[in-house]
């Protein structure tokens, strides 16, 4: 059977540009690199930092996204909503080094010096805030999309049954958006574990303290330890696959329910 | 008594209600009009879901025009039943009581009249369309609203079920003896449910003597 033009162009380009780099990386895995990486305590600390900071960033993202969802539902004409909506798009287009620098200037030594010599900068809290800054928009967008899909009559009826807007949002709207809440959390988590630039700028790359998997890979490449960098990268891919599977399972579960 | 005075509402500069005035006593007043004539808008403005651009709404002599929906004490049944999908039928029915001590005899009376007794522990998705509509009406009635607003509550059902529910809805709506504003574009439904009639055309309402007269006026308006 003859292939059409889209198949003839898309398939080879996809294989070359998306699949091949991953395969090339995995192809460079070697037993020595794996052994040395798994024996490196800094690697395990970076895994722990990545997962803990990403969980905290995703939780914070979801918390604020719930607030954004409320504004998206009830206060679309307010100036604050317009500002928040604009700011949601900003981190997507902004170089993440700029985001990191902005965080550094906002919460660094000059403004938060009373917390320590560097303010919040170069702490695990800074890593969380850097991850949050770039991942929150994804959670907010997930909630806003769910609000758009929701049957608005549910809220109208809840209001006539005595609910204030806040009550209707928490008692009726949010419980019907379970899938979006889950997706928002997982998207924010996955964006957080992949963040590098903002984390390096604001959280630094202090082994065991603020080093995350992305910066661990960077460090090992700089040190010429390609085998260890590849092993850590393969671990990142594994972690990403787990996260993507969770998202997929969430969707399948919803379809079956 | 529900009194609507010179109600005005526009969307993006396009007037939909151009000074609607209407009085509804303890009766079922059916408002008929073509699709897009502003019937749903009228109910939503009266319920407080949409703000009025002008005019006033009074309920039992008190002006409620600027009150939010939760403070108006009106029952509202939209076109789709809009049952809360995460709650059981029982929880849906008792939602408007807001944890207050329920008037058990009244709740039982409504539940029995609507034949909902055996479905109380089910989720809305497990009910047929007809029963979902019954639950939507019962849920609005149970808090004993001071007026009822129904926006083509049976329009999503097929004809056979609608015909069955007309009598039932009429009987249950009479229980409270409060003003009922019932919107429909179905002539037979208007005749079977309504006690008085009004026509919404061109953004204004005029009272008519019968559903037949209302629909005759509608048809002549369409052909004119």
């Amino acid at each position: 059977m003859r292939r059409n033009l889209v198949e003839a162009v898309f398939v080879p380009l996809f294989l070359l540009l998306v699949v091949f780099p991953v395969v090339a990386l995995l192809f460079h895995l070697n037993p020595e690199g794996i052994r040395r990486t798994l024996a490196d305590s800094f690697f395990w600390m970076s895994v722990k930092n990545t997962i803990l900071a990403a969980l905290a960033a995703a939780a914070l993202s979801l918390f604020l996204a719930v607030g954004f969802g409320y504004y998206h539902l009830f206060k679309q004409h307010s100036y604050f909503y317009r500002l928040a909506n604009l700011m949601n798009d900003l981190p997507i287009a902004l170089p993440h080094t700029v985001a990191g620098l902005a965080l550094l200037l906002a919460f660094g030594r000059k403004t938060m010096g009373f917390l320590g010599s560097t303010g919040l900068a170069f702490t695990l809290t800074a890593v969380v805030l850097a991850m949050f800054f770039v991942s929150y928009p994804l959670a907010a967008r997930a909630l806003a999309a769910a609000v758009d899909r929701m049957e608005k009559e549910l809220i109208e009826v809840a209001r006539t049954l005595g609910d204030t807007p806040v009550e209707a949002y928490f008692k009726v709207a949010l419980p019907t958006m379970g899938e979006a809440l889950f997706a928002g959390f997982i998207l924010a988590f996955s964006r957080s574990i992949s963040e590098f630039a903002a984390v390096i700028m604001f959280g630094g790359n202090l082994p065991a303290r603020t080093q995350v998997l992305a910066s661990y890979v960077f460090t090992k490449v700089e040190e010429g330890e390609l085998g260890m960098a590849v092993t850590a990268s393969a671990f990142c891919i594994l972690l990403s696959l787990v996260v993507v599977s969770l998202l997929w399972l969430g969707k399948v579960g919803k379809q079956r329910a | 008594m529900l009194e609507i005075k010179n109600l005005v509402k526009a969307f993006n500069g396009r007037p939909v209600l151009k000074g609607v005035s209407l009085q509804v006593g303890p009766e079922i007043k059916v408002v008929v009009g073509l699709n897009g004539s502003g019937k749903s808008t009228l109910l939503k403005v009266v319920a407080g879901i949409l703000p009025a651009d002008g005019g006033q709404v009074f309920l039992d002599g008190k002006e409620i025009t600027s009150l939010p929906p939760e403070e108006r004490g009106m029952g509202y049944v939209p076109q789709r039943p809009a049952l809360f999908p995460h709650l059981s039928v029982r929880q849906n029915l008792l939602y408007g009581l807001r944890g207050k001590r329920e008037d058990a005899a009244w709740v039982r009376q409504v539940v029995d009249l609507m034949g909902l007794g055996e479905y109380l522990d089910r989720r809305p998705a497990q009910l047929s369309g007809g029963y979902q509509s019954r639950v939507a009406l019962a849920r609005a009635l149970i808090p004993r609203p001071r007026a009822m607003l129904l926006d083509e509550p049976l329009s999503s059902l097929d004809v056979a079920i609608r015909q069955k529910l007309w009598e039932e809805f009429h009987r249950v709506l009479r229980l409270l003896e409060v003003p009922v504003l019932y919107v429909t574009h179905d002539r037979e439904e208007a005749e079977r449910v309504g006690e008085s009639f009004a026509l919404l055309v061109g953004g204004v309402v005029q009272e008519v003597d019968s559903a037949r007269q209302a629909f005759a006026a509608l048809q002549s308006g369409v052909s004119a």
Side-chain angles (χ1 to χ4, degrees), chain A residues 74-238:
Chain A
F74 290 110
K75 293 183 174 286
Q76 285 207 13
H77 296 296
S78 73
Y79 287 112
F80 182 76
Y81 171 79
R82 289 173 196 176
L83 174 71
N85 200 29
L86 179 72
M87 292 298 285
N88 273 348
D89 292 330
L90 200 61
I92 294 169
L94 199 70
H96 288 184
T97 44
V98 177
L101 182 61
L103 288 165
L104 192 60
L105 294 174
F107 303 117
R109 178 168 51 86
K110 282 188 179 169
T111 54
M112 298 277 173
F114 58 91
L115 291 172
S117 59
T118 58
L120 279 178
F122 313 125
T123 63
L124 201 56
T125 305
V127 175
V128 172
L129 290 179
M131 288 177 169
F132 160 78
F133 194 83
V134 296
S135 62
Y136 156 75
L138 296 176
R141 288 269 169 261
L143 261 285
V147 165
D148 289 338
R149 285 194 302 272
M150 189 183 64
E151 206 181 319
K152 297 297 179 294
E153 289 94 335
L154 292 175
I155 299 299
E156 293 169 359
V157 169
R159 296 289 308 277
T160 61
L161 289 170
D163 276 356
T164 62
V166 171
E167 287 171 333
Y169 184 61
F170 282 99
K171 286 163 63 183
V172 174
L174 279 184
T176 65
M177 299 195 293
E179 189 191 4
L181 290 167
F182 180 71
F185 182 85
I186 294 294
L187 284 171
F189 180 75
S190 55
R191 184 68 197 82
S192 294
I193 60 174
S194 66
E195 182 51 25
F196 172 69
V199 167
I200 282 270
M201 289 293 285
F202 185 38
N205 184 14
L206 306 172
R209 285 178 55 201
T210 64
Q211 192 171 59
V212 292
L213 269 168
S215 43
Y216 180 87
V217 170
F218 179 74
T219 302
K220 290 302 159 194
V221 171
E222 272 204 320
E223 291 173 355
E225 296 279 6
L226 192 63
M228 293 178 81
V230 167
T231 304
S233 302
F235 190 87
C236 287
I237 292 174
L238 191 68

Side-chain angles (χ1 to χ4, degrees), chain B residues 17-139:
Chain B
L17 305 177
K18 301 175 183 172
V20 169
S21 295
L22 197 61
Q23 284 194 346
V24 190
E27 60 184 333
I28 302 174
K29 182 170 297 272
V30 168
V31 177
V32 302
L34 298 173
N35 282 332
S37 60
K39 304 188 298 293
S40 297
T41 302
L42 172 63
L43 289 198
K44 286 186 180 186
V45 173
V46 172
I49 295 164
L50 292 174
D53 294 337
Q56 294 166 299
V57 181
F58 294 87
L59 186 57
D60 299 332
K62 184 188 161 200
E63 184 173 2
I64 58 167
T65 319
S66 56
L67 289 182
E70 61 269 25
E71 291 175 22
R72 294 195 179 200
M74 289 186 172
Y76 173 63
V77 183
Q79 285 185 21
R80 291 186 288 185
L83 301 181
F84 306 136
H86 58 295
L87 302 179
S88 66
V89 168
R90 185 194 311 277
Q91 289 167 319
N92 267 278
L93 291 175
L94 301 180
Y95 194 91
L97 292 175
R98 313 184 61 71
K100 283 182 271 182
R101 273 180 69 85
E102 60 191 79
D103 182 347
W106 165 244
V107 173
R108 175 54 56 191
Q109 187 183 5
V110 175
V111 166
D112 287 347
L113 267 171
M114 305 247 69
L116 296 172
E118 60 183 290
Y119 303 106
L120 293 176
D121 294 318
R122 293 198 191 174
R123 294 274 163 163
Q126 296 172 297
L127 300 181
S128 66
Y131 274 96
Q132 288 187 10
S133 297
R134 288 180 171 101
V135 175
L137 176 61
R139 178 179 62 180

